[in-house]
Amino acid sequence: DEPYGGGSGMVLKPEPIYKAHDSIFKMKNCLTLLMTPQGKVLKQRDFVRWIKYDQLILICGQYEGFDERVRAIADEEISVGDYILSGGELPAISVINGVTRLIPGTLGDPKSLLDESHNSDLLEYPQYTRPPVFRGIKVPDVLLGGNHKEIKLWRKDQMLERTAHRRNDLISKEDFKKSPVSKRIKEELKN
């Protein structure tokens, strides 16, 4: 309907949203999420937290948004970034996908969840597969050497370096202090 007080656009009425919410709210261990650009920005740790619920209800805004009284039924308000979309459906799909892939049995190898970007607030290390050289670009020797301790150190350093260069807002001072490459990364970032 039209917003009280005038203005452009249309606002989702509270009655149909409450009616839909009431009809599907079935479990005690339920969480209702409101997709809105005013919410807190979605993080990987949110998916990990939400997987513990038996039911998630996602409410998507549309047009100019929803009647303010809809906020009363939401447990959390979620945004996927500082931009505006036509509706909350695409952010809801992000929530559905992010939570679903954490359900045991969804992924073929559960170990693939361990070293992903943002699990430790660091971006994931580079991945390579066969052939060892493609168009003149060679797989790093450490990955071909078979020394798993060296590979683990290389991957950690790559995560720190990649995060420092691409998303230094994510990297902690503690991670920097612990890394043997931190001095090199710090020098590169100064230049």
Side-chain angles (χ1 to χ4, degrees):
D1 207 339
E2 295 175 353
Y4 278 128
S8 62
M10 302 290 274
V11 176
L12 292 174
K13 296 177 73 162
E15 298 97 325
I17 295 173
Y18 270 78
K19 187 175 178 181
H21 186 270
D22 292 346
S23 74
I24 61 174
F25 191 98
K26 302 290 184 200
M27 300 179 178
K28 289 180 183 176
N29 191 22
C30 178
L31 185 73
T32 300
L33 303 175
L34 188 61
M35 303 295 110
T36 170
Q38 297 177 22
K40 81 176 178 73
V41 177
L42 183 63
K43 300 285 186 189
Q44 179 66 26
R45 64 182 153 266
D46 294 321
F47 301 141
V48 173
R49 199 168 38 85
W50 297 336
I51 193 70
K52 298 172 182 143
Y53 286 90
D54 296 323
Q55 182 183 22
L56 293 177
I57 297 175
L58 310 178
I59 300 174
C60 302
Q62 192 62 249
Y63 313 114
E64 282 298 310
F66 39 79
D67 185 289
E68 188 67 19
R69 293 166 286 191
V70 171
R71 292 184 194 281
I73 57 174
D75 297 303
E76 297 182 37
E77 296 186 24
I78 303 301
S79 170
V80 291
D82 296 331
Y83 52 89
I84 306 298
L85 300 171
S86 298
E89 298 82 7
L90 291 176
I93 289 171
S94 296
V95 170
I96 292 166
N97 185 277
V99 171
T100 301
R101 63 190 304 279
L102 297 178
I103 296 171
T106 301
L107 299 181
D109 183 358
K111 291 179 188 173
S112 61
L113 292 170
L114 300 177
D115 292 330
E116 294 181 310
S117 292
H118 304 291
N119 276 351
S120 62
D121 288 331
L122 295 175
L123 301 180
E124 188 175 4
Y125 50 80
Q127 298 277 5
Y128 296 89
T129 188
R130 288 147 188 82
V133 178
F134 178 74
R135 294 192 176 188
I137 304 169
K138 190 174 182 298
V139 173
D141 289 334
V142 67
L143 297 177
L144 303 173
N147 184 326
H148 294 289
K149 185 176 179 183
E150 285 182 21
I151 291 171
K152 186 175 180 179
L153 286 171
W154 179 86
R155 286 178 172 168
K156 177 68 173 178
D157 290 343
Q158 290 298 307
M159 291 169 71
L160 286 162
E161 185 170 352
R162 189 168 271 201
T163 305
H165 286 288
R166 297 180 184 182
R167 291 287 310 275
N168 65 0
D169 59 306
L170 297 175
I171 200 160
S172 75
K173 291 176 185 175
E174 285 305 309
D175 283 332
F176 250 25
K177 287 178 188 175
K178 293 176 187 174
S179 173
V181 297
S182 63
K183 289 179 185 176
R184 180 176 52 84
I185 295 170
K186 286 178 190 175
E187 288 302 315
E188 286 177 12
L189 289 175
K190 286 180 187 177
N191 298 331

